[in-house]
Amino acid sequence: MMLITQIFSLEDFKDTIPFTAIGARTCYSSGDLDYLLNDPRVSSREERARFLSKLGNYKHFSVFAHSFAYKDLTQVDENLLNQYLSPSFIDLPKEKKAEIIAAKIGATKFKSQYNPEFPTVIGVSLRHYLEDLLLEDEKKYMEAFSKMADFDIPVKPAGRIENTTLIGLITDYDGYAVFFIDNVSRTMTHQLVRHTALNYSQRSQRYVREDQNVLIIPPSVKEKNVNLPDSIIEYYIKLIQHYKSTIEEAEAKDELKKGVISRMDNFVQEFKDKKLSLQDVFTLTDQLCEAVYDLSVYVGKIKREDARFILPHGRKTTIVVSGTISWIKDFITKRTDPHAQWEIQSVANQMKQLLKEQGIDV
């Protein structure tokens, strides 16, 4: 077994450890990036270490993929390289040994980065390091999260364009980039996660309430003029009001019900005397689905993770995306194509521009 812990140290990841906390907090928080950057579990090294330790205890490895490091194996002790080579390779020059070991790690570690252009260099994530550390020594694995408090590297976003913020960038070798993307639909992120070479941490509908979320409506829907009878609004409003009345009688905390009922009242008031458009039908349907969601949670006592099945996949979400520059470029090339859907095409162009501002051409 190739133990990454013998080649890399926790310190190798120190500059990018905070990105793992941002990815994790994105999963469990409804806040925007400014909120997350001031969240103690991101900004305070002690709080961050405790938070990441909790995730480590749950074996929630995926968030640790947002931290990445490269190492030139010619800088590693040759005796260590020899341990992972067959006897027939022992007499090779150290550089050749480093090439073999780098290629071996690249072939066996999922989402590690090996490039023949840098044959003695291997890139791995903090996830690789922690998974191997757990196999090696569980006590050292748990101690690693406390040691993370020793690295207090503040996150300073490199740039922001509309939905997309470049929050981290490594330029050595094949590089590594971390993006925070918000105010996009789950329809868009369903397309995004098909690019499996990248790493993702997305806002959870299991743990985060949907009260303040909205539906992302495509420009084509907003621009379309369709003649619709105003009576449609009445049907929607009546259904929502019926659900509201039932929720008012539910055995739930008043402070929780109050927010839901207030939102429903405001929505009904907004649409009471409105001229109906296709965009309105989208919004009304979304709000009706949310009313059923609220009914399920507060009256049916259904867990949010099951109640969310009724919510449209056009709802707003937030996601952290990271990967080597080569794989980020692959995504950008494919999704800036004119045939790509408008939303993911927009995000890909924003990522392209942010990288260009850092001197990286795609």
Side-chain angles (χ1 to χ4, degrees):
M1 181 184 295
M2 170 62 68
L3 288 174
I4 298 298
T5 53
Q6 294 187 40
I7 296 173
F8 288 83
S9 69
L10 191 62
E11 188 172 2
D12 291 322
F13 302 94
K14 66 179 181 179
D15 293 337
T16 56
I17 286 174
F19 302 134
T20 66
I22 291 178
R25 288 304 299 144
T26 295
C27 296
Y28 302 115
S29 171
S30 60
D32 61 13
L33 181 58
D34 291 332
Y35 172 85
L36 295 179
L37 290 176
N38 290 289
D39 186 323
R41 284 159 289 194
V42 174
S43 61
S44 164
R45 61 183 183 178
E46 292 84 5
E47 288 292 324
R48 182 172 64 240
R50 278 194 287 270
F51 175 52
L52 295 179
S53 177
K54 185 177 180 180
L55 296 176
N57 192 49
Y58 292 155
K59 309 299 187 294
H60 189 357
F61 289 115
S62 62
V63 299
F64 298 106
H66 300 306
S67 178
F68 204 82
Y70 288 96
K71 182 154 288 190
D72 187 337
L73 299 189
T74 60
Q75 305 302 312
V76 174
D77 188 297
E78 188 168 0
N79 290 325
L80 176 61
L81 299 180
N82 289 339
Q83 291 180 31
Y84 296 98
L85 292 170
S86 64
S88 59
F89 294 142
I90 297 301
D91 293 330
L92 290 175
K94 184 179 181 182
E95 185 172 339
K96 285 296 181 183
K97 295 177 183 179
E99 289 182 19
I100 294 170
I101 297 298
K104 183 176 181 179
I105 296 173
T108 56
K109 290 295 182 182
F110 181 55
K111 294 188 181 181
S112 60
Q113 179 66 13
Y114 173 77
N115 185 345
E117 187 177 342
F118 311 106
T120 62
V121 175
I122 188 66
V124 301
S125 72
L126 182 57
R127 174 177 186 164
H128 294 116
Y129 175 85
L130 291 172
E131 286 178 333
D132 273 6
L133 186 60
L134 179 60
L135 291 174
E136 179 185 333
D137 189 320
E138 188 168 358
K139 183 179 179 181
K140 288 183 179 179
Y141 168 79
M142 293 309 302
E143 289 174 348
F145 298 99
S146 297
K147 291 180 180 179
M148 289 181 189
D150 296 336
F151 311 126
D152 192 22
I153 310 296
V155 177
K156 296 180 179 178
R160 179 183 300 184
I161 299 175
E162 298 178 28
N163 305 80
T164 309
T165 303
L166 177 59
I167 59 174
L169 181 65
I170 297 173
T171 55
D172 295 338
Y173 306 115
D174 284 310
Y176 203 79
V178 187
F179 292 92
F180 181 90
I181 303 169
D182 61 357
N183 294 318
V184 292
S185 71
R186 287 181 177 270
T187 302
M188 179 271 189
T189 59
H190 290 337
Q191 298 175 61
L192 175 60
V193 298
R194 292 176 195 158
H195 297 264
T196 53
L198 304 179
N199 302 295
Y200 307 99
S201 293
Q202 184 169 4
R203 175 177 173 170
S204 171
Q205 287 182 316
R206 289 184 68 190
Y207 301 108
V208 183
R209 292 169 59 188
E210 286 287 306
D211 300 47
Q212 302 301 319
N213 256 347
V214 295
L215 187 73
I216 302 295
I217 299 179
S220 60
V221 173
K222 293 180 179 180
E223 297 163 1
K224 196 71 173 179
N225 292 319
V226 179
N227 292 322
L228 297 167
D230 293 335
S231 58
I232 291 177
I233 290 182
E234 297 176 16
Y235 296 131
Y236 276 101
I237 295 299
K238 283 180 180 179
L239 274 171
I240 291 171
Q241 288 178 323
H242 282 312
Y243 286 131
K244 181 192 124 181
S245 297
T246 307
I247 293 168
E248 285 176 325
E249 301 300 320
E251 293 180 1
K253 292 181 180 179
D254 288 338
E255 59 188 53
L256 294 176
K257 291 195 299 182
K258 185 177 179 181
V260 171
I261 292 165
S262 176
R263 188 196 69 243
M264 288 181 167
D265 284 337
N266 292 336
F267 181 79
V268 168
Q269 190 62 35
E270 178 186 351
F271 278 85
K272 194 173 181 181
D273 300 310
K274 198 170 185 182
K275 181 71 175 175
L276 189 65
S277 67
L278 185 58
Q279 178 178 342
D280 292 331
V281 174
F282 270 62
T283 304
L284 285 161
T285 304
D286 174 63
Q287 287 298 308
L288 182 58
C289 289
E290 183 158 359
V292 177
Y293 170 86
D294 292 328
L295 182 78
S296 302
V297 172
Y298 295 106
V299 180
K301 306 302 180 185
I302 302 297
K303 292 182 179 179
R304 294 183 187 279
E305 63 188 75
D306 289 338
R308 62 179 165 163
F309 277 60
I310 194 64
L311 296 174
H313 59 194
R315 284 215 143 196
K316 182 177 72 173
T317 190
T318 303
I319 192 167
V320 171
V321 181
S322 66
T324 61
I325 298 299
S326 57
W327 285 114
I328 293 286
K329 285 183 176 181
D330 179 75
F331 163 77
I332 291 172
T333 300
K334 289 180 170 66
R335 296 299 184 165
T336 52
D337 185 281
H339 295 96
Q341 193 170 20
W342 64 275
E343 193 177 18
I344 198 168
Q345 186 179 155
S346 175
V347 168
N349 277 307
Q350 291 165 28
M351 292 169 71
K352 180 178 181 179
Q353 182 60 34
L354 287 167
L355 290 177
K356 185 177 181 181
E357 291 174 0
Q358 299 301 313
I360 300 171
D361 290 324
V362 179

